[in-house]
Amino acid sequence: SQTIHQWPATLVQPVGSPLSLECTVEGTSNPNLYWYRQAAGRGLQLLFYSVGIGQISSEVPQNLSASRPQDRQFILSSKKLLLSDSGFYLCAWSGIPNTGELFFGEGSRLTVL
Amino acid sequence: QKEVEQDPGPLSVPEGAIVSLNCTYSNSAFQYFMWYRQYSRKGPELLMYTYSSGNKEDGRFTAQVDKSSKYISLFIRDSQPSDSATYLCAMSLLGGAGKLIFGQGTTLQVKP
């Protein structure tokens, strides 16, 4: 069966510090991968998605970036965090063909102080 | 106007009640409709999935899609305290590469 792992689960970082959140998927090959952010009291906002190694599409202009160095690894990064980057970051995968069903990880809660 | 509108609640019901959760949307091109359940501090889990219009039933859960009215619903029968969670509707386009548009989520509390 397929599983998805995210880490760290919780992170408290000062403004201006770097960020790296990691996500790995097991039990499937060539998945589509996604990073979503969920701010307090709001729905999920798509940040990045990837259909293959090195292929990243950005949905929202911001100071975050994403990379996919391996087929089942997706990384969310920032060089300098802003207060507004605080939120719950969720990695998700979908299979091929893509029917719109997403399977989410447990999330990484980021607090920027 | 948001693409997907969902009343955030909170909604509080007694155990055993029938719960109705709803979303409206503005983009008539949406073809896939989903309901996700999210427990506190956890990632969302897919609960119901529907393609185009119609009804789908799974145990105590029934999903309805009315594309003519741009309205989707989730019904929970015989609600249980374990159903207490936030319910997110989501939808996407045909060939939309998994780019889901989510509602804000409705927080449901089922009291024993």
Side-chain angles (χ1 to χ4, degrees):
Chain A
S1 64
Q2 301 88 356
T3 57
I4 180 168
H5 303 283
Q6 280 187 247
W7 70 93
T10 305
L11 198 60
V12 180
Q13 292 286 97
V15 170
S17 63
L19 172 73
S20 180
L21 301 179
E22 295 194 30
C23 171
T24 58
V25 180
E26 297 176 358
T28 186
S29 296
N30 196 29
N32 288 347
L33 296 174
Y34 309 84
W35 278 110
Y36 279 83
R37 179 170 60 198
Q38 186 175 34
R42 299 178 64 180
L44 277 69
Q45 180 186 36
L46 178 62
L47 302 176
F48 301 95
Y49 73 94
S50 170
V51 298
I53 295 174
Q55 301 178 63
I56 308 295
S57 295
S58 175
E59 291 294 303
V60 181
Q62 59 216 328
N63 70 321
L64 299 173
S65 62
S67 62
R68 186 169 176 175
Q70 301 180 40
D71 181 45
R72 290 170 288 177
Q73 184 184 24
F74 206 21
I75 298 171
L76 183 70
S77 304
S78 174
K79 292 182 179 179
K80 289 185 177 181
L81 285 168
L82 306 173
L83 286 173
S84 57
D85 292 324
S86 293
F88 193 42
Y89 288 83
L90 290 154
C91 181
W93 71 274
S94 66
I96 306 295
N98 193 320
T99 57
E101 298 172 86
L102 291 186
F103 301 93
F104 287 87
E106 289 293 284
S108 296
R109 187 164 301 279
L110 171 66
T111 303
V112 182
L113 301 175
Chain B
Q1 181 187 9
K2 293 180 182 178
E3 275 195 287
V4 179
E5 299 273 3
Q6 183 177 8
D7 186 340
L11 181 63
S12 182
V13 301
E15 183 175 355
I18 296 174
V19 176
S20 173
L21 304 169
N22 311 293
C23 287
T24 59
Y25 62 95
S26 57
N27 190 343
S28 59
F30 286 139
Q31 293 285 347
Y32 299 107
F33 303 91
M34 286 137 279
W35 286 94
Y36 285 82
R37 178 174 61 195
Q38 185 176 24
Y39 291 112
S40 181
R41 309 183 77 84
K42 297 291 186 180
E45 56 177 330
L46 183 63
L47 191 60
M48 297 287 284
Y49 169 84
T50 308
Y51 171 67
S52 194
S53 286
N55 295 355
K56 185 173 184 178
E57 188 173 323
D58 184 1
R60 297 184 294 111
F61 298 90
T62 299
Q64 290 185 351
V65 176
D66 182 348
K67 292 189 71 179
S68 62
S69 301
K70 298 188 188 126
Y71 188 87
I72 69 171
S73 300
L74 177 70
F75 297 95
I76 307 174
R77 293 183 298 279
D78 187 25
S79 56
Q80 303 294 311
S82 58
D83 295 328
S84 298
T86 296
Y87 290 81
L88 299 152
C89 66
M91 44 202 78
S92 68
L93 304 171
L94 184 66
K99 293 191 288 183
L100 302 186
I101 307 299
F102 282 85
Q104 184 178 348
T106 299
T107 300
L108 170 67
Q109 183 181 24
V110 181
K111 296 183 176 180

